[in-house]
Amino acid sequence: TEYETILVERHDRTALITLNRPKALNALDLTVMAEVVDAATTLDRDPDVGALVITGSAKAFAAGADIKEMRPNGYMDVYLSDWFSAWDRLGDVRKPTIAAVSGYALGGGCELAMMCDILLAADTAVFGQPEIKLGVIPGIGGSQRLTRAIGKAKAMDLCLTGRTMDADEAERAGLVSRIVPAADLLTEALSTAATIAGMSTPIAMMAKESVNRAFETTLAEGVRFERRLFHATFATADQKEGMAAFTEKRTPSFTHR
Ligand code: HXC
């Protein structure tokens, strides 16, 4: 598929989606939203893809939702079109996703990064939810995912003052999985994706589903959910292969079944 605002590449069992609106620092307009969601859901259905990476440019992962596009709208426009709700479909992607963030990840950019499963940050990354400065609040889950990721103290600070945090603060706060030198960001993200894609894909999907369950339920229900999926892994060929390979002291060859 030809896209206008993103680039999509395949590397073996991984896929890379690059936001590509350099003139607007990858501001997330409705076209970007539709294209990222379309690409991610298409790749998610592809049996030859085991993990997805989403990245931006060196200067900006994404500087937020597109302010100029949003500006003229009234309540009925955004309510009736359910503005931004299509991003929820990115959260429905079942394969592991990695956000590789360099430069600005503000507003919707930070929210997009937080929708991914692993957040790799370049040492140049800058995170924030500055919507309040524009007279709005986060609209793609920022107030919820940021609070779950870093707690009330810092989420309130960021959402109420609109201040940004650098990569070090974001990592200390628990927003970021790992910080890497900016020059190595994409290589690291693709190699992490390749590592994951080399595991059994259905098992990786179950691991993702199980971790995500922790945000939706009580501990007892979450542990029960995990145990049911753990039991289900014994129905896969890949469990047989993984445990046989360990016993036979060789590298497993997963068939993703
Ligand atoms: C539309 C944007 C944009 C955005 C940058 N641009 N961010 N256009 N929407 N979110 C455009 C600028 O207008 C400018 O276009 C070009 O990109 C380069 O940006 P500059 O500002 O000139 O770059 P710089 O001086 O380096 O500053 C970078 C920046 C700043 C600090 C990231 O651009 C900035 O503050 N952007 C807005 C960040 C923000 O508030 N994001 C949250 C948005 S609301 P021209 O044509 O002038 O060259 C949101 C949540 C939505 O995301 C949910 C609520 C409904």
Side-chain angles (χ1 to χ4, degrees):
T1 322
E2 278 301 306
Y3 294 114
E4 206 184 302
T5 63
I6 62 171
L7 304 169
V8 179
E9 279 169 52
R10 294 283 303 276
H11 303 258
D12 197 19
R13 284 183 51 78
T14 68
L16 173 65
I17 299 175
T18 305
L19 306 175
N20 187 31
R21 279 190 82 203
K23 286 198 204 103
L25 300 183
N26 291 330
L28 305 168
D29 66 7
L30 296 182
T31 306
V32 179
M33 174 174 70
E35 292 189 346
V36 170
V37 166
D38 183 77
T41 52
T42 303
L43 292 163
D44 194 32
R45 282 193 301 269
D46 186 333
D48 295 328
V49 170
L52 277 64
V53 176
I54 301 180
T55 196
S57 68
K59 180 169 179 188
F61 177 72
D66 192 306
I67 298 165
K68 294 162 194 171
E69 181 185 55
M70 286 187 287
R71 181 182 170 196
N73 286 284
Y75 175 68
M76 271 303 124
D77 301 311
V78 293
Y79 177 77
L80 291 174
S81 65
D82 206 3
W83 201 270
F84 290 150
S85 62
W87 281 118
D88 294 346
R89 287 169 53 211
L90 187 64
D92 296 336
V93 165
R94 299 173 75 205
K95 307 242 174 95
T97 55
I98 298 173
V101 175
S102 177
Y104 296 112
L106 302 178
C110 187
E111 293 170 303
L112 171 57
M114 290 191 293
M115 288 183 80
C116 296
D117 304 318
I118 293 178
L119 204 169
L120 290 189
D123 46 16
T124 58
V126 175
F127 299 91
Q129 298 291 157
E131 288 88 347
I132 196 161
K133 295 186 188 174
L134 300 166
V136 292
I137 68 169
I140 317 172
S143 65
Q144 305 305 297
R145 289 196 180 87
L146 191 66
T147 306
R148 282 165 166 74
I150 69 178
K152 173 178 167 176
K154 275 190 185 283
M156 283 289 192
D157 185 8
L158 291 170
C159 291
L160 292 176
T161 68
R163 81 168 175 91
T164 58
M165 54 181 179
D166 64 15
D168 280 326
E169 183 180 0
E171 191 191 34
R172 282 198 307 275
L175 182 64
V176 161
S177 312
R178 271 185 265 151
I179 302 180
V180 297
D184 303 337
L185 178 68
L186 200 54
T187 312
E188 276 295 320
L190 290 172
S191 98
T192 302
T195 298
I196 295 168
M199 306 296 176
S200 164
T201 295
I203 300 299
M205 291 163 70
M206 289 184 200
K208 165 173 177 164
E209 192 180 0
S210 194
V211 172
N212 277 334
R213 197 71 192 166
F215 295 100
E216 308 287 352
T217 192
T218 63
L219 179 61
E221 282 307 315
V223 169
R224 189 192 308 274
F225 182 89
E226 178 197 74
R227 184 142 314 123
R228 290 288 178 262
L229 275 186
F230 168 73
H231 293 160
T233 63
F234 288 75
T236 64
D238 286 339
Q239 174 267 332
K240 304 285 171 271
E241 169 60 10
M243 293 192 178
F246 175 82
T247 310
E248 293 158 19
K249 300 186 190 296
R250 59 176 175 81
T251 306
S253 175
F254 293 123
T255 54
H256 312 292
R257 305 287 294 180

